[in-house]
Amino acid sequence: MKKKEFVSAVFTLTLSMLIIQATSMAFNVFVSARIGSSGMGLFHLIMSVYNLAATIAISGIPLAATRITSALRRKSDAGCVLKKCLTLASVFGGGAFCLLYLSAPSIAEKIIKVPEGVIPLRILACALPTIAISAAMNGYFTGLQKVSYITVGKMAEEFSSIFITLILLKVFGTRNNPCTLLSCAIALSSLLGCILNGVMCFLSVKKCCAKSVVSYRKVLNVSLPVAAGAYMRSALNTAENLIIPTALTRSGITDALSRYGTLKGMAIPVLTFPYVFLHSLISLLIPEISGRFALKSKKSVLRAAKLSLTATFLFGTVVASVLFIQGRRLGFALYKNPEAGLYIAALSLLAIPMYIDSVTDGILKGLNQQVYCLKINVIDSMSRLPLIWFVLPIWGVWGYIAIMYISELVNLSLSLARLKKVLAQ
């Protein structure tokens, strides 16, 4: 992709994602005001389990679709790649659905320890096949750098989710379990998004070659190493989210679920909101770096990597400064919650290593280092669990914030060291 085209694609995707994220952020504020910090905490626990199931459903297929499609010499062969990826996505998505649907009662009663979580989990299970298929199609679109298709699909899914939630809240209110209503909105919007992506795929794939240019084995060779690490990391992240309220309770905090909801459901979304500007860069950076790497254009890869990391450092510094200075005001303005503002200010400096690490991971994946990235992430997640279990009962929420800083800095150091080594070869 030419420089002007790449910049234009990044700008288009960033603008659309900014609209989506801004709307999502505003909606998150609205929902938190309706269900409170305890409700946000419960919903985040349910979503932690759902995210693990979604990781199983997706199983690295989108990255395989992106890398294989972007490396094709003849883009007319992309339809063959898409067909294989959609078939595998359907298999993994269906398996994840069965797993979550059947295990929902045990998870709700024994792990989350909230019996009313059964229905939301089973509703979310219905979204897993469509989530997997949509992810595969988005990977295909990314590989072909069809930015407009990705934009339309994401916007349609996000806005339909908000619209459905508003209708359900208006009709049923929050008297019953609000997590059920939010789960219904996610499941229905994922179905609509999948249908729309399917229509766009149908229109974009002009033909599927008679002779397959890619085998299922080739797709799985890319996706399974990623999936294996992603399974483990997602399982560890889910375990982390589930033990945080318990560890906080051991510290003597009586409203542990509320504190958890304030941190995870209010403060951290503010920290990650500016990431929308980098998400577009990373999405397009992977196929761009992959294509240059396949052509053995080492100088071009090095130049793109340096430019991306420098821009990210400057961007992260600006974000961190704004959040540090205005964090308390933001917390009160958005949530009418002084505690949320305190957490935002405390987490502000984390933006710099967090954003740089995300871009570094994107570059490494473009250089076929996705397995190493997942190894780092798995080791990181494994080290966090014992720290959370032993540190939080002593220092509470502030102990968790300290763990986040240490973890992110170690992760970034390992990623940068690997990138330097790969580029030096």
Side-chain angles (χ1 to χ4, degrees):
M1 183 185 284
K2 295 179 180 178
K3 184 178 179 180
K4 288 184 178 179
E5 292 176 346
F6 182 78
V7 172
S8 175
V10 170
F11 176 78
T12 302
L13 191 55
T14 299
L15 181 61
S16 62
M17 290 299 295
L18 180 60
I19 295 172
I20 292 172
Q21 287 297 98
T23 306
S24 178
M25 185 71 190
F27 187 65
N28 185 63
V29 172
F30 168 78
V31 171
S32 66
R34 295 293 297 271
I35 68 176
S37 56
S38 295
M40 290 293 288
L42 175 58
F43 184 64
H44 196 84
L45 287 178
I46 291 172
M47 287 302 294
S48 295
V49 176
Y50 167 70
N51 289 336
L52 172 58
T55 302
I56 297 172
I58 293 172
S59 288
I61 302 299
L63 180 61
T66 296
R67 292 200 70 249
I68 295 173
T69 302
S70 63
L72 288 174
R73 293 185 178 276
R74 294 186 307 171
K75 298 304 178 185
S76 58
D77 293 337
C80 301
V81 179
L82 177 62
K83 182 179 178 181
K84 294 290 193 301
C85 290
L86 288 179
T87 302
L88 291 172
S90 301
V91 172
F92 284 110
F97 160 75
C98 295
L99 182 63
L100 182 57
Y101 189 89
L102 296 175
S103 62
S106 298
I107 293 172
E109 294 174 12
K110 297 178 182 179
I111 299 178
I112 299 179
K113 298 180 181 178
V114 181
E116 55 266 30
V118 175
I119 294 177
L121 285 171
R122 283 187 161 171
I123 293 171
L124 288 171
C126 298
L128 294 173
T130 54
I131 287 288
I133 293 170
S134 285
M137 288 188 279
N138 278 326
Y140 161 79
F141 292 145
T142 303
L144 292 179
Q145 294 167 337
K146 293 181 177 292
V147 177
S148 58
Y149 288 20
I150 300 171
T151 300
V152 170
K154 288 184 179 298
M155 291 185 75
E157 188 170 337
E158 182 66 31
F159 288 119
S160 63
S161 176
I162 293 172
F163 182 69
I164 293 168
T165 303
L166 290 174
I167 291 176
L168 293 175
L169 286 173
K170 185 175 180 60
V171 174
F172 298 101
T174 56
R175 295 184 301 275
N176 299 318
N177 185 0
C179 293
T180 300
L181 303 182
L182 295 174
S183 300
C184 285
I186 291 173
L188 290 173
S189 64
S190 68
L191 175 60
L192 293 174
C194 184
I195 292 172
L196 180 59
N197 280 330
V199 171
M200 291 189 292
C201 272
F202 179 77
L203 295 175
S204 67
V205 179
K206 297 179 180 177
K207 65 175 183 177
C208 187
C209 8
K211 184 178 179 181
S212 180
V213 295
V214 61
S215 64
Y216 287 112
R217 175 176 290 183
K218 185 174 182 179
V219 176
L220 291 173
N221 282 342
V222 178
S223 65
L224 285 185
V226 176
Y231 296 159
M232 188 175 295
R233 188 188 181 197
S234 185
L236 290 169
N237 286 340
T238 300
E240 176 181 317
N241 285 319
L242 292 175
I243 68 172
I244 289 173
T246 303
L248 289 175
T249 301
R250 290 170 57 211
S251 70
I253 296 175
T254 56
D255 58 343
L257 193 59
S258 179
R259 296 278 186 95
Y260 174 76
T262 302
L263 179 65
K264 288 281 191 173
M266 297 181 184
I268 291 181
V270 174
L271 178 69
T272 57
F273 172 73
Y275 178 74
V276 64
F277 293 98
L278 297 177
H279 177 78
S280 308
L281 173 65
I282 295 170
S283 297
L284 294 172
L285 198 60
I286 294 175
E288 185 70 15
I289 293 289
S290 182
R292 295 183 185 189
F293 185 64
L295 294 172
K296 302 186 184 302
S297 180
K298 185 178 178 180
K299 289 184 178 179
S300 179
V301 171
L302 184 61
R303 187 167 56 250
K306 285 184 176 179
L307 181 62
S308 300
L309 290 174
T310 301
T312 303
F313 172 74
L314 295 173
F315 175 72
T317 302
V318 172
V319 171
S321 301
V322 171
L323 293 181
F324 183 77
I325 296 169
Q326 300 293 334
R328 296 196 181 202
R329 292 182 181 178
L330 276 172
F332 188 78
L334 293 173
Y335 304 108
K336 301 296 186 290
N337 188 327
E339 190 175 45
L342 188 62
Y343 294 158
I344 291 170
L347 290 166
S348 60
L349 298 180
L350 192 63
I352 300 173
M354 181 184 289
Y355 296 169
I356 296 175
D357 186 47
S358 296
V359 172
T360 304
D361 276 6
I363 296 171
L364 285 171
K365 287 174 182 175
L367 295 172
N368 201 26
Q369 296 294 311
Q370 60 270 13
V371 176
Y372 182 82
C373 291
L374 284 165
K375 284 180 181 178
I376 294 176
N377 292 328
V378 168
I379 293 171
D380 174 45
S381 297
M382 290 180 68
S383 64
R384 285 160 66 108
L385 284 178
L387 286 173
I388 289 171
W389 187 252
F390 291 110
V391 172
L392 265 63
I394 301 172
W395 291 342
V397 174
W398 298 107
Y400 182 67
I401 291 175
I403 290 170
M404 289 181 68
Y405 272 98
I406 295 170
S407 171
E408 194 60 58
L409 289 170
V410 171
N411 199 317
L412 174 60
S413 299
L414 292 172
S415 296
L416 287 175
R418 182 64 175 184
L419 179 60
K420 183 179 180 180
K421 181 179 179 180
V422 172
L423 291 178
Q425 291 176 352

